[in-house]
Amino acid sequence: SNLRQKPLIPNDDRKISTATFQYNISEEEFIDQILILDDDESLQNGNRFPPNVGNAGKFLLTNALRSRPVRDDEIDPPSEAMRCQKYFPDNHQNTHLYKANGQRRRIFLGSLIADDSWHTLGAIAMETYGIYTSVVFVESNRTQTGAARELRFVNGTIEHKLLVESDLFGPHTAVTVENFFYEGEVDGGGLIREHRQRDVIFKAWKRLGMRDDDIGVLSDADETPTRDFLRAVQICDIPQLRVEEQDCHSPKLVMSSMVFEGSPECMTVTRKWMHPDFMLGKCIEGVGDDRYKLSARQRKREFAWRADKFSAKFNYSGWPKENELYPLWNPADFRRDTGGFSIMFEDVDYLPFRMGHTGFHFHNYFETTQQLRTKYMTYGHPVQTADEMAIGEIHPDLDLMVDCVLGKPSHQNKHRTLP
């Protein structure tokens, strides 16, 4: 993937011209595509695309929806061997060798979804096209703070047709949208509501046939592993993915993701985002052996992360030593830092400690400022007065985005962007 490139032409929609990164076209060809889109009556009457995606969004989705072969599906042993040697965990000990008799592991993606931009969804689908066995999205009728929202990906809508029915993620990738409804009081607030939603993902994975030797990827809809690392995970002999040896003590692989703040032109260079996360099905609650499932009393609260004495951070001090496996991981354990993980990097020669990225985070990609305000008022760590503030005042990330869009230097921001 070449997501560090600049878009080909400047325009108001350039923040989502990510499609140009995977298709080597000239500026003239890009403009021709846009003119075709503008003249296409089927697009103007809304039969093909959702409203308000912009010309660049239409162009991206046109390419993302294009029927095409999976270009890297065939296993090429020399290339796979080189790929396996590129990645290492945070202890810099690379033991990821290519196994010549290897078949690609199956990977299941699970993500929450709400008002996420089609620019983001299209870019992620293009990056992972043809890799996932199954993709599960969970959409709720309420935000993390409990604010009501209208379901977007309902059967019969253009949103559902594009996401679920169009082979957006590949010709053999099953995509489902699960709806989440919960009208009661949530013990623990917004994060517990989020973990309740993620629990639906685990149940769907089980229903879709996930096995002990399959891999689950838990993410938000604005995150993705790089395609190259997904291929490495499918074929390389990574210790955490050895199903016979995995005892679920430290099964989690964490991505080191490059962050784009609101636009592919605003790549941050002083931070990484430590998601998405990978894990063998053997250690996932609902897929692995239920004998090793923690009860609600062994967690901070129902659906929450595990109590300290059942975590790797505290050396599983409360877990019976005679057990063959350590506790299974629920969605809160999977997503939060409870210990028991390794951060994965690509070996590169242009960064300190050679720690390159293994994922992308398309942060705050929204079509309107009102969607931004709604996010910051009603989702994690809400800013109650976000509708009364200038965008750059709401959060340091948005301050950086505004300065980047306006071409201002970022040296006084919390994070910095690539000049």
Side-chain angles (χ1 to χ4, degrees):
S1 184
N2 297 312
L3 287 173
R4 297 176 63 194
Q5 296 181 35
K6 296 280 189 179
L8 293 177
I9 59 174
N11 60 70
D12 290 341
D13 292 316
R14 59 184 172 176
K15 66 179 182 179
I16 38 78
S17 58
T18 316
T20 61
F21 299 142
Q22 288 212 5
Y23 294 89
N24 185 22
I25 64 174
S26 69
E27 179 174 327
E28 290 76 14
E29 290 172 316
F30 182 90
I31 295 172
D32 287 343
Q33 288 271 14
I34 294 299
L35 293 175
I36 292 170
L37 291 171
D38 283 341
D39 291 338
D40 191 331
E41 183 179 352
S42 69
L43 304 185
Q44 300 306 315
N45 63 25
N47 290 337
R48 187 172 176 187
F49 292 124
N52 304 320
V53 296
N55 279 334
K58 294 174 184 177
F59 176 68
L60 188 151
L61 282 173
T62 296
N63 282 287
L65 294 166
R66 182 171 58 87
S67 178
R68 58 200 187 274
V70 180
R71 56 183 170 81
D72 55 355
D73 206 31
E74 185 176 344
I75 296 175
D76 176 54
S79 299
E80 305 294 351
M82 291 179 61
R83 174 180 286 128
C84 294
Q85 294 172 10
K86 290 197 303 183
Y87 295 100
F88 61 88
D90 39 16
N91 62 13
H92 275 263
Q93 296 178 3
N94 185 353
T95 56
H96 311 154
L97 302 178
Y98 169 63
K99 297 181 72 171
N101 63 343
Q103 293 182 334
R104 295 199 189 279
R105 298 180 179 94
R106 300 197 307 171
I107 305 179
F108 291 66
L109 174 67
S111 173
L112 305 184
I113 195 168
D115 299 325
D116 302 274
S117 167
W118 276 109
H119 312 142
T120 300
L121 296 173
I124 288 173
M126 291 175 71
E127 180 73 4
T128 63
Y129 184 81
I131 291 183
Y132 292 123
T133 295
S134 174
V135 175
V136 176
F137 292 106
V138 175
E139 183 180 20
S140 174
N141 68 328
R142 293 192 178 273
T143 69
Q144 286 182 351
T145 62
R149 62 176 298 276
E150 184 178 353
L151 291 176
R152 173 183 171 193
F153 297 94
V154 179
N155 192 17
T157 64
I158 186 61
E159 308 267 8
H160 186 276
K161 184 180 292 292
L162 288 173
L163 189 68
V164 177
E165 305 170 43
S166 65
D167 293 338
L168 182 67
F169 283 84
H172 306 295
T173 299
V175 180
T176 60
V177 175
E178 305 283 333
N179 294 139
F180 177 85
F181 301 96
Y182 186 78
E183 299 303 311
E185 290 293 325
V186 177
D187 180 23
L191 286 178
I192 301 304
R193 179 180 288 276
E194 176 180 319
H195 296 318
R196 280 179 175 268
Q197 294 177 49
R198 293 189 192 279
D199 188 64
V200 176
I201 294 172
F202 283 19
K203 289 180 170 60
W205 281 349
K206 178 67 173 180
R207 187 179 70 248
L208 291 165
M210 179 183 277
R211 306 183 301 250
D212 280 5
D213 59 345
D214 293 327
I215 298 169
V217 178
L218 198 62
S219 77
D220 280 341
D222 60 356
E223 305 163 351
T224 183
T226 65
R227 184 178 192 87
D228 194 72
F229 186 73
L230 281 169
R231 285 307 196 195
V233 162
Q234 284 188 305
I235 205 71
C236 302
D237 182 25
I238 299 174
Q240 289 86 346
L241 303 180
R242 297 171 185 162
V243 66
E244 298 300 329
E245 299 176 19
Q246 181 56 261
D247 62 3
C248 302
H249 181 288
S250 301
K252 186 164 72 168
L253 297 177
V254 176
M255 300 303 94
S256 171
S257 291
M258 179 185 295
V259 180
F260 296 89
E261 194 60 55
S263 164
E265 290 194 357
C266 299
M267 186 183 85
T268 61
V269 293
T270 54
R271 69 179 295 201
K272 286 188 182 293
W273 180 249
M274 298 308 171
H275 292 297
D277 310 298
F278 287 60
M279 193 177 297
L280 269 180
K282 180 179 182 179
C283 300
I284 295 174
E285 188 175 288
V287 177
D289 192 331
D290 279 344
R291 291 179 297 168
Y292 305 105
K293 177 182 177 179
L294 291 173
S295 68
R297 289 180 298 176
Q298 292 172 310
R299 298 189 170 280
K300 299 289 186 179
R301 54 174 56 86
E302 188 178 12
F303 293 99
W305 48 99
R306 57 191 61 191
D308 291 344
K309 64 182 179 179
F310 301 112
S311 70
K313 279 188 172 181
F314 291 83
N315 202 29
Y316 295 99
S317 59
W319 190 248
K321 303 301 181 186
E322 65 272 15
N323 282 351
E324 182 179 348
L325 298 180
Y326 289 91
L328 299 179
W329 294 56
N330 81 346
D333 301 325
F334 203 143
R335 186 69 179 178
R336 289 177 62 90
D337 175 11
T338 59
F341 64 87
S342 295
I343 303 172
M344 300 301 298
F345 300 93
E346 181 182 6
D347 185 16
V348 298
D349 59 7
Y350 55 85
L351 289 175
F353 312 107
R354 305 184 70 91
M355 291 181 168
H357 65 278
T358 47
F360 300 117
H361 184 31
F362 303 110
H363 195 221
N364 285 324
Y365 276 47
F366 291 103
E367 277 84 2
T368 69
T369 55
Q370 185 54 51
Q371 289 175 326
L372 270 176
R373 295 182 191 278
T374 299
K375 169 192 170 178
Y376 278 91
M377 285 191 295
T378 64
Y379 283 89
H381 313 293
V383 180
Q384 295 182 351
T385 58
D387 60 339
E388 303 170 4
M389 304 166 69
I391 293 296
E393 296 174 340
I394 297 173
H395 193 277
D397 290 344
L398 295 180
D399 185 36
L400 178 67
M401 182 187 75
V402 170
D403 285 349
C404 177
V405 169
L406 296 178
K408 295 182 178 180
S410 60
H411 60 273
Q412 293 185 340
N413 297 82
K414 180 178 179 180
H415 298 291
R416 298 183 184 181
T417 54
L418 185 71

